[in-house]
Amino acid sequence: MSRKECVAMLLAGGQGSRLGVLTGKLAKPAVPYGGKYRIIDFPLSNCIHSGIDTVGILTQYKPLELNDYIGSGKPWDLDRSNGGVHILPPYQGKKGGDWYKGTANAIYQNLGFIDRYSPEYVIILSGDHIYKMDYSKMITAHKKSGADCTIAVMEVPLDEASRFGIMNATQDGTIYEFEEKPEKPKSNLASMGIYVFSYDKLKKYLTEDNEKEGSSNDFGKDIIPAMLNSGEKLMVYRFSDYWKDVGTVDSLWEANLDLLNPKIHLNLSDPNWKIYSRTSALPPQYISDTAQVENSLITAGCNISGNIDYSILFENVKVEEGATVEYSVVMPGAVIKKGAVVRYAIVAENSLIDENATVGQEPDYKDAQKWGITVIGDGVKVGKNAKIGANKMIKKEVKEGEKI
C-alpha cells in the first residue's frame, strides 16, 4: 500500500436507539434523509471533496443495508485500488471476538488497517451528522498550529451548552479543559465529534486506554481528557455553517424540513460540493390535476394526487386523491390512501396509511411536554379510520378504527 497523508475513520456502528422504529432494521447512518440521500452520504462526500480517498467505515449494529448501500464506494468515487472505502466490522482475533466497546476501542481494534497506509494524520468522523465541511482546511489548521489533536467546534447558545461536550479554550484556540454536558458551562464551544489526530499520538493514547482497567474507551470521556492531563497540545477548529446531529426523531424531522426553510442555508444543489448518493434511475414524479403541492420536496418516482404542504417525500411515494400530508417526512415506497391525514410525522419505508386514517397532530402549545413527532415504522400498515395521536412510535400493524 502506498502511503497516505491522512486516513478517515468513520464511526457508523451506533444502534441509534433514540430513533426508535426507524433503526429497527438498519444502522443509523443508513437512515434516509432529504428525499434521496442517506445520512452517511454527507461524511463520505465531504471526504472525497476534501481530497481524502481512504476511508474506513466501522460498522456494528444491523450493518447489512449499510454494507449493501456503500458497496464498492463508486457513487462517492471511493472505489480505489489503493485506498478507497473499506467496511470494518468487529472481527475475531486470537483472543476471541469482541464487540466494539466504545468509539476509541473501535479505532483501536483497527489500528492494523490504519498502519497499512502509514498516515501522518487520522481524521475521526461520525456517521450521523448532516453538514458540508472541507476537512482539508481543518487538517491545514492542525499542521499550522503544531497540535497533537484538533477538535471541530461550533458555537451554540450558552443556555443550550449543557447538552453538549464543551471545549474551554484560550483566545488562540488552545483547549485547556473539556467538560461533558456541564451544568454550568464556561463556554459555548460545542464539540462536533470531528477530530484530527497526529497519528503517532493517537496510536499511543488508544493503546494506553485499551490497557486501562475500567475505561469506557470513549474519545470524549477518556482519550481527550488523558491527552489534556498529559499536557498534549489540543486546539479547537471553529465551524459556523449548517450542522445537525440527527440522533433523535425530532432532530431528524427538523433536519429534513430545514431543506424547505429559506432562512437555513444547506444547499444540496451546489455543483462545487455535490452530495453523492447511490440512487437508482427512476421515472419523473407524477403530479396529477387534483394535487395541491406547496413548499415541498418531491423526489422522482412519486405519484401525487393529494394535498402536500411543507413536507419531504422520498422516491416512489404514492399519495392518493383527497389525502393530506403536512409537515411530514415520508420515506421511500410509502403509500398514503385517499382521505388519510398525515401531520407532523415520519412515515418509514414501505408503510401503508389506509383510507381516512389520521397520523400525528398539530403542536399543542398548552401541553408541549406531551406533544412530539409521530413515527410509523418500516413496512407498518395503519388500518382504515385508525387514529394515531402525537408523539407515538408505531412498530406493528394498527387495526381498522383503532385509536392510539
Side-chain angles (χ1 to χ4, degrees):
M1 296 289 164
S2 67
R3 198 162 177 271
K4 301 284 182 183
E5 185 188 33
C6 182
V7 166
M9 298 296 275
L10 205 165
L11 296 159
Q15 188 172 336
S17 53
R18 291 179 301 162
L19 287 173
V21 293
L22 293 174
T23 48
K25 296 178 184 172
L26 76 172
K28 185 161 50 168
V31 169
Y33 168 80
K36 67 170 193 174
Y37 304 99
R38 305 266 171 168
I39 297 168
I40 201 165
D41 290 335
F42 287 81
L44 289 178
S45 299
N46 288 341
C47 280
I48 206 68
H49 287 305
S50 305
I52 298 169
D53 64 6
T54 306
V55 183
I57 299 180
L58 293 89
T59 62
Q60 180 157 287
Y61 173 82
K62 305 270 185 188
L64 196 63
E65 195 161 335
L66 186 63
N67 295 356
D68 284 351
Y69 183 74
I70 291 160
S72 67
K74 191 172 173 48
W76 307 273
D77 192 25
L78 286 167
D79 52 337
R80 309 290 179 102
S81 54
N82 177 33
V85 70
H86 297 260
I87 304 285
L88 302 170
Y91 56 86
Q92 194 157 356
K94 285 181 184 171
K95 295 178 183 174
D98 220 342
W99 282 108
Y100 295 145
K101 295 188 193 83
T103 52
N105 178 257
I107 305 294
Y108 172 78
Q109 284 198 36
N110 288 285
L111 288 175
F113 168 78
I114 301 172
D115 282 338
R116 291 164 71 187
Y117 299 99
S118 308
E120 266 184 84
Y121 309 105
V122 172
I123 185 165
I124 312 287
L125 305 169
S126 173
D128 54 3
H129 299 154
I130 304 287
Y131 66 112
K132 299 202 295 189
M133 181 179 186
D134 187 345
Y135 303 136
S136 67
K137 290 182 179 175
M138 185 175 172
I139 293 162
T140 300
H142 177 82
K143 291 182 201 170
K144 202 171 172 183
S145 68
D148 300 300
C149 173
T150 299
I151 300 171
V153 295
M154 274 195 87
E155 289 189 20
V156 295
L158 200 56
D159 59 350
E160 289 179 26
S162 56
R163 289 172 37 215
F164 298 91
I166 295 295
M167 298 293 162
N168 298 321
T170 59
Q171 270 191 312
D172 73 346
T174 303
I175 298 166
Y176 62 86
E177 186 183 27
F178 170 66
E179 294 182 290
E180 183 66 60
K181 298 182 179 172
E183 274 184 45
K184 293 181 179 173
K186 297 173 196 167
S187 100
N188 66 341
L189 296 178
S191 169
M192 295 166 65
I194 300 167
Y195 311 101
V196 173
F197 285 93
S198 298
Y199 182 45
D200 55 344
K201 289 290 167 78
L202 174 65
K203 196 170 181 178
K204 174 182 185 291
Y205 282 93
L206 287 178
T207 305
E208 287 173 6
D209 180 67
N210 191 63
E211 290 161 6
K212 202 178 286 178
E213 283 284 320
S215 172
S216 54
N217 306 121
D218 184 84
F219 277 101
K221 292 177 189 155
D222 304 287
I223 303 297
I224 303 304
M227 291 182 78
L228 283 170
N229 291 339
S230 300
E232 304 290 4
K233 186 173 185 181
L234 278 73
M235 300 291 289
V236 295
Y237 176 78
R238 291 168 184 264
F239 182 75
S240 56
D241 285 346
Y242 184 90
W243 178 82
K244 194 96 165 182
D245 178 339
V246 286
T248 65
V249 165
D250 284 2
S251 62
L252 179 66
W253 177 81
E254 283 168 13
N256 272 282
L257 296 196
D258 279 349
L259 294 171
L260 306 174
N261 186 342
K263 293 178 182 172
I264 292 173
H265 303 294
L266 177 61
N267 180 7
L268 295 184
S269 53
D270 180 357
N272 299 318
W273 203 276
K274 207 173 165 210
I275 301 301
Y276 300 102
S277 68
R278 183 181 292 283
T279 46
S280 47
L282 292 161
Q285 67 268 71
Y286 171 71
I287 314 284
S288 85
D289 294 346
T290 60
Q292 284 191 306
V293 178
E294 287 188 58
N295 195 25
S296 294
L297 194 157
I298 296 175
T299 310
C302 286
N303 187 323
I304 310 300
S305 299
N307 309 313
I308 317 292
D309 187 15
Y310 217 81
S311 294
I312 305 267
L313 273 57
F314 286 72
E315 63 198 56
N316 298 325
V317 164
K318 186 175 185 184
V319 180
E320 292 186 355
E321 188 175 343
T324 298
V325 177
E326 295 177 341
Y327 295 91
S328 292
V329 177
V330 185
M331 292 183 174
V335 176
I336 318 291
K337 303 285 271 185
K338 61 185 179 187
V341 176
V342 175
R343 286 194 178 103
Y344 295 89
I346 297 175
V347 178
E349 299 183 57
N350 304 312
S351 297
L352 171 69
I353 313 300
D354 215 333
E355 293 177 19
N356 301 312
T358 305
V359 172
Q361 65 187 55
E362 291 189 14
D364 179 353
Y365 296 107
K366 291 177 190 163
D367 197 359
Q369 292 297 315
K370 290 183 182 171
W371 184 84
I373 300 303
T374 288
V375 182
I376 306 298
D378 190 323
V380 167
K381 180 185 175 184
V382 175
K384 292 179 183 179
N385 302 305
K387 281 191 165 44
I388 300 170
N391 202 25
K392 304 296 183 196
M393 187 80 69
I394 306 300
K395 299 178 184 178
K396 57 186 184 194
E397 182 179 342
V398 178
K399 300 275 192 300
E400 185 172 338
E402 192 177 346
K403 291 184 181 178
I404 295 176

